[in-house]
Amino acid sequence: MEKECTKDIIVNISEDQTITDLSKSIQPLKSEIFLKKQVRGMIVEVNLKSFLGLITLQLQNGDKLFIRAVGDDCDLAVEEIEKYLT
């Protein structure tokens, strides 16, 4: 069974951070990484390695996110996402 890591965070990013930078920072990771948030009353979960998925989330400061990473380096994946988005 694959290792799974999860964490809840609140988004707090500066205006100069882009989803392109986030996407680049996680590409070397082997884990599959998912972000879940409520968008217009619906729960949406996207694969973070999908650029289109990232756009769908419309991340804003104050958003509550649930991070779920699956794979050998999931600890590192969750840490990387948390560091970038908070």
Side-chain angles (χ1 to χ4, degrees):
M1 192 166 125
E2 283 199 281
K3 187 174 170 184
E4 181 172 298
C5 306
T6 61
K7 182 148 194 174
D8 288 307
I9 64 165
I10 305 273
V11 176
N12 183 20
I13 53 178
S14 66
E15 288 182 22
D16 60 341
Q17 290 176 285
T18 66
I19 56 174
T20 307
D21 295 333
L22 175 58
S23 187
K24 283 181 194 166
S25 76
I26 61 163
Q27 286 310 318
L29 299 170
K30 292 185 176 21
S31 289
E32 287 298 314
I33 307 164
F34 303 92
L35 288 183
K36 192 187 297 188
K37 95 168 218 194
Q38 194 163 341
V39 178
R40 292 189 202 96
M42 294 172 46
I43 299 294
V44 176
E45 183 175 64
V46 300
N47 186 324
L48 197 50
K49 292 188 176 180
S50 158
F51 196 72
L52 192 57
L54 269 173
I55 293 168
T56 305
L57 281 183
Q58 304 168 5
L59 293 179
Q60 298 174 11
N61 284 341
D63 283 351
K64 292 179 184 170
L65 289 182
F66 179 72
I67 305 168
R68 182 171 65 91
V70 180
D72 291 339
D73 59 0
C74 70
D75 294 326
L76 183 60
V78 169
E79 190 179 299
E80 195 66 33
I81 302 307
E82 182 179 22
K83 187 167 51 174
Y84 192 86
L85 291 177
T86 60

